Amino acid sequence: MQQCKTVTLRTRKCKNGMLSYYLDYYPAFRDMETMKSIRHESLGIYIYEKPINNIQRRMNKAMAEKAETIRCMRYESIINERFGLYDKAHKKESFLAYYKKLCTKHNFKWDYVYLHFYDYVGGKCTFEEVDVQLCQGFSEYLQEKALNKRTGAKLSQNSIAGYWSTFRGMLNIAYRDKQISINVNDFLDKIKTVESPKEVLNLHEVYRLYCTECEIDVLKRAALFSCLTGLRFSDVQALQWKNVCEYADGGKYLDFISVKTKVQNIVPINKDVVKLMGRPGKGNVFIGLKYFMTQKPMRNWLEKAKINKHITFHCFRHTYASLQLELGTDIYTVQKILAHANVSTTEIYARHAEPKKREAATKLSLKTLKSVTRNEENKCRKGTYDSCKDENNSQTNEKKNDK
């Protein structure tokens, strides 16, 4: 209750001879959720203006005590906020309810982490229970007991690390919002990720997918679209026709805000990509595209195309980076198209296609060794090297001595 200094209990007249209690804040405070300035708060407590018997008088007395109790609680909140203290009543409130509300402002990954935390605490957790011990226990739960919410399999190391990082980010927000009294993150260790191979498709495999029928047409078009643009599934799913723009020379490009990073992306596209998008219209480009399609339906499509690699939809983004580098596109250009904050991320996606490494591989070969050997022999015959000259001189001297 920022800047508010006093809270006064007042009444106003209502119909049928009743009075209504309300709180008068001075100065007014701003609600940080609605951003509205609040001066009065109705308590929803009513009393008789002119009680006519003992029952009404007793009710008036009881309601007045309740209204005064609420006024004292509001005033205590003001004092606590002014001096950086925390309400006892707030500590008893549900931390899970606050966490769930935060999830609505973030991506689906937050929902999965919330569900794991919900299971860990058994569906009940107050603000005063959120401490280092509880959070460390959640870290151990993720590493030892948590299962994938979709498949029921054990979480991978990188999923555990990602979930734990998201949870710690939530704790930072809770501390910043003054919902918890200490920054628990100062006492929590990071869970390390492991470097895993990035599965990609080669040009022949992409073409096989193009030539193979898929039971869900929008899935096929979206997958090939990702291979040719590098867009994530969330961005493909959210792409709208208003994001398709045109250059002065008639070429097309995509201008959109990434769902994951909230950063503006501009991606030039060619005629094949435009064809995959279908007939222009309004709203979403890939109508009806759902996440479940990237599971069994997509695996069936890959098997039908005789591709035995473990390919997820995100691998199509890796494929784009890999093929661009293989075909000679500068890595910094690929970085900008994929909107990576750091070029090292782009390098991870396409390490096998690094131009410098490929160039180095051509420098050392049997052909090179054979060429160098011939040059050495020729120089030796001509007496170019000092060692060869010495050897020739010694041979000449030996011949003279023999004579």
Side-chain angles (χ1 to χ4, degrees):
M1 297 185 179
Q2 296 79 3
Q3 300 180 355
C4 183
K5 296 179 181 179
T6 63
V7 183
T8 306
L9 184 63
R10 302 187 188 280
T11 60
R12 61 167 61 95
K13 288 186 177 182
C14 300
K15 296 180 180 180
N16 303 323
M18 303 294 287
L19 298 176
S20 172
Y21 276 116
Y22 70 94
L23 297 179
D24 186 346
Y25 298 101
Y26 181 81
F29 73 93
R30 186 175 298 279
D31 188 317
M32 299 310 293
E33 290 189 7
T34 64
M35 297 308 292
K36 292 182 178 180
S37 182
I38 297 177
R39 177 67 190 275
H40 301 138
E41 179 189 2
S42 176
L43 299 183
I45 297 177
Y46 303 91
I47 60 174
Y48 291 97
E49 183 180 6
K50 296 179 180 179
I52 58 175
N53 53 45
N54 288 334
I55 294 176
Q56 292 182 357
R57 281 189 285 271
R58 282 198 296 270
M59 194 201 85
N60 279 8
K61 183 179 179 181
M63 294 299 104
E65 290 176 354
K66 292 182 183 297
E68 178 61 20
T69 299
I70 295 173
R71 188 201 71 81
C72 291
M73 291 171 61
R74 297 290 192 272
Y75 187 67
E76 182 184 6
S77 296
I78 293 172
I79 298 299
N80 286 336
E81 184 168 344
R82 188 183 301 171
F83 295 99
L85 304 174
Y86 287 83
D87 293 321
K88 291 181 180 179
H90 172 71
K91 290 182 178 181
K92 300 293 183 183
E93 293 176 0
S94 173
F95 177 75
L96 284 174
Y98 167 77
Y99 190 176
K100 181 66 175 176
K101 192 173 183 180
L102 280 182
C103 290
T104 61
K105 302 177 182 178
H106 296 82
N107 58 34
F108 63 89
K109 187 177 180 181
W110 278 63
D111 294 323
Y112 286 128
V113 181
Y114 169 81
L115 292 174
H116 284 298
F117 185 74
Y118 183 93
D119 293 342
Y120 166 65
V121 297
K124 293 181 181 180
C125 181
T126 61
F127 283 97
E128 68 177 347
E129 292 179 289
V130 181
D131 56 16
V132 176
Q133 185 176 0
L134 180 82
C135 295
Q136 285 179 338
F138 182 53
S139 171
E140 295 170 1
Y141 172 84
L142 286 175
Q143 296 179 77
E144 298 172 6
K145 298 181 180 180
L147 301 176
N148 188 299
K149 292 296 181 182
R150 297 193 305 271
T151 65
K154 191 178 185 304
L155 293 176
S156 67
Q157 179 65 23
N158 287 350
S159 292
I160 293 170
Y163 285 0
W164 179 240
S165 177
T166 300
F167 180 75
R168 292 183 65 195
M170 181 276 301
L171 292 176
N172 269 333
I173 295 175
Y175 177 71
R176 183 195 66 193
D177 291 348
K178 297 183 179 181
Q179 298 296 320
I180 53 179
S181 57
I182 62 171
N183 191 356
V184 185
N185 266 326
D186 292 341
F187 308 95
L188 300 176
D189 295 326
K190 181 181 178 181
I191 296 178
K192 294 182 179 180
T193 58
V194 294
E195 187 173 328
S196 57
K198 304 292 184 182
E199 289 282 14
V200 297
L201 300 174
N202 58 41
L203 279 173
H204 298 292
E205 289 168 333
V206 173
Y207 187 70
R208 282 217 303 271
L209 280 180
Y210 173 75
C211 296
T212 304
E213 290 187 8
C214 179
E215 59 184 285
I216 304 176
D217 179 66
V218 68
L219 170 62
K220 178 178 179 178
R221 292 188 295 108
L224 294 171
F225 178 86
S226 180
C227 286
L228 299 180
T229 60
L231 267 66
R232 301 178 182 90
F233 176 82
S234 56
D235 292 329
V236 175
Q237 187 181 41
L239 189 68
Q240 297 191 348
W241 284 107
K242 65 180 182 181
N243 302 128
V244 182
C245 306
E246 189 170 322
Y247 290 113
D249 61 359
K252 304 282 186 180
Y253 67 95
L254 306 177
D255 186 350
F256 62 97
I257 303 297
S258 174
V259 174
K260 180 180 179 181
T261 63
K262 311 301 180 186
V263 174
Q264 182 184 19
N265 286 21
I266 296 179
V267 179
I269 56 177
N270 56 41
K271 292 181 179 179
D272 290 334
V273 174
V274 173
K275 188 175 180 180
L276 288 170
M277 295 165 65
R279 182 178 297 178
K282 294 182 179 180
N284 286 41
V285 174
F286 296 96
I287 299 173
L289 181 64
K290 303 295 181 182
Y291 186 80
F292 80 88
M293 297 176 183
T294 66
Q295 304 301 308
K296 188 174 181 180
M298 194 174 84
R299 286 196 296 271
N300 292 339
W301 180 39
L302 289 164
E303 289 176 5
K304 195 174 180 181
K306 297 182 180 180
I307 296 174
N308 299 320
K309 299 176 180 177
H310 177 67
I311 298 294
T312 64
F313 197 95
H314 200 67
C315 292
F316 299 136
R317 179 173 168 85
H318 301 172
T319 296
Y320 175 83
S322 172
L323 293 179
Q324 285 286 1
L325 290 173
E326 285 182 15
L327 295 170
T329 305
D330 181 76
I331 191 168
Y332 294 101
T333 302
V334 178
Q335 176 199 356
K336 290 178 182 178
I337 294 175
L338 296 179
H340 288 155
N342 198 313
V343 73
S344 60
T345 307
T346 315
E347 291 173 347
I348 291 172
Y349 278 176
R351 283 183 174 175
H352 75 284
E354 287 184 28
K356 293 294 182 182
K357 286 185 178 181
R358 297 183 66 191
E359 183 182 343
T362 62
K363 290 181 178 179
L364 187 60
S365 64
L366 292 175
K367 185 178 180 180
T368 306
L369 291 173
K370 189 179 292 184
S371 175
V372 171
T373 303
R374 287 176 180 173
N375 290 336
E376 293 290 332
E377 291 175 350
N378 292 334
K379 287 180 180 179
C380 190
R381 288 195 194 97
K382 294 177 181 178
T384 305
Y385 290 135
D386 292 338
S387 59
C388 295
K389 290 179 181 179
D390 293 340
E391 186 178 346
N392 292 335
N393 290 333
S394 62
Q395 290 176 356
T396 304
N397 292 332
E398 287 178 2
K399 290 179 179 179
K400 287 181 179 180
N401 292 334
D402 291 338
K403 289 179 180 179

